[in-house]
Amino acid sequence: MNHTPTARTSVTTVRRLLLAATTGAALLLAGCASDKPALNTTFDFGPAVSSTPSARAPLAAVVVGDVTGSAALDSERMYYRLNYSDPLQARAYANSRWSATPLQMVTQRLKSRIAQSGAKVLSVSDASDGVPILRLEIDDFTHNFDSQTQSHGQLVLRASLFQGHTLIDQKTFDRKNPATSMDAAGGARALAGATDTVAADVIAWLATLPLKKE
C-alpha cells in the first residue's frame, strides 16, 4: 500500500512529460506550417510629374508605337548584373517584380512625356497620312552593380522616326542614373530616373528633325 502513491505519481509524471513533448512538437509543426514565403514587392516608375509644355512642341502630332525589346523585357522580372565580378550573367531579384513589363512601362512613360511636351500622341491605329511615326527599341534596361557599394540603372534605347516609308533619322540614347540604395528599390528608382532622362532626350531630338510638309 505504501508503494501505490509513488507508482501513481511516477505514471502521472510520465504522462505529463509525454503530453508536454507532444504539445511542443505540435506547436513547432504549426509554426513551420504558418511560415509563409516572402511576399513579392512590386515596383513601378511612380506618377509622371506634370511639366510645363515646351514653348515649341517637338512635333504637332506623332504616332508612338509600342516599345520593343528582348524576351527578358517582356516579363515583370527585375534584372541586375554584378559588373564587378560576373558581367555576363543577368540575375533576377527573387522577391521583387515590376508592376508591368519594362516594355509596357517605358512605352507609357515616353508617351506621357511626349504628350506633356505639347505634341499630340497618336496610336498606330489612329495614324493618318503624313503623321510621323516614332519606333522605339530597348537594348538594355538593367540595374548594374559597379561594386558592392555603387550601382546604377541603365537604359539604352534606339529611336527611329519615319514619315511615310522614309526614315528621317535614327539615334541611340544611353543613360545611367545612380542608385541611392543597393537593392531592388534603389534599382527601380534609378531606372525610373534614367527613363525620364531618355524621354527628355528623345523630345529634344525630335525638335531638331526636318519633316516634310504634307
Side-chain angles (χ1 to χ4, degrees):
M1 294 296 293
N2 293 334
H3 295 286
T4 302
T6 303
R8 287 179 177 176
T9 301
S10 299
V11 171
T12 301
T13 301
V14 171
R15 286 178 177 174
R16 286 176 178 173
L17 289 174
L18 289 174
L19 179 60
T22 303
T23 302
L27 290 173
L28 180 61
L29 290 174
C32 294
S34 64
D35 287 341
K36 297 180 181 178
L39 297 177
N40 286 335
T41 303
T42 303
F43 296 94
D44 57 26
F45 289 164
V49 179
S50 298
S51 59
T52 304
S54 304
R56 175 176 174 268
L59 297 171
V62 60
V63 174
V64 181
D66 290 341
V67 177
T68 60
S70 67
L73 298 176
D74 199 20
S75 77
E76 290 78 17
R77 290 176 179 156
M78 297 182 69
Y79 288 99
Y80 67 95
R81 289 182 186 274
L82 303 179
N83 288 343
Y84 62 90
S85 65
D86 190 6
L88 300 184
Q89 183 177 357
R91 297 171 168 86
Y93 281 106
N95 298 311
S96 297
R97 296 287 187 272
W98 292 113
S99 61
T101 71
L103 298 180
Q104 293 170 329
M105 291 194 303
V106 174
T107 296
Q108 186 56 44
R109 183 51 62 100
L110 263 69
K111 285 183 177 181
S112 177
R113 290 303 189 195
I114 293 173
Q116 286 181 355
S117 73
K120 292 181 173 62
V121 176
L122 306 177
S123 65
V124 175
S125 60
D126 296 329
S128 59
D129 292 341
V131 177
I133 300 174
L134 181 62
R135 294 178 181 169
L136 305 162
E137 183 175 2
I138 294 178
D139 289 329
D140 192 19
F141 184 83
T142 313
H143 183 196
N144 295 307
F145 286 80
D146 305 306
S147 68
Q148 293 183 355
T149 58
Q150 289 186 324
S151 67
H152 65 271
Q154 182 172 14
L155 170 61
V156 181
L157 180 141
R158 183 168 54 258
S160 305
L161 187 71
F162 292 84
Q163 190 167 27
H165 297 290
T166 302
L167 174 63
I168 303 301
D169 197 10
Q170 182 181 90
K171 187 172 183 178
T172 296
F173 302 89
D174 185 350
R175 285 292 187 172
K176 300 177 182 179
N177 196 43
T180 55
S181 60
M182 304 299 103
D183 54 13
R189 286 190 292 268
L191 285 165
T195 302
D196 281 336
T197 303
V198 166
D201 292 341
V202 169
I203 291 169
W205 167 70
L206 290 174
T208 67
L209 301 182
L211 296 172
K212 295 180 294 183
K213 300 295 183 181
E214 297 288 337

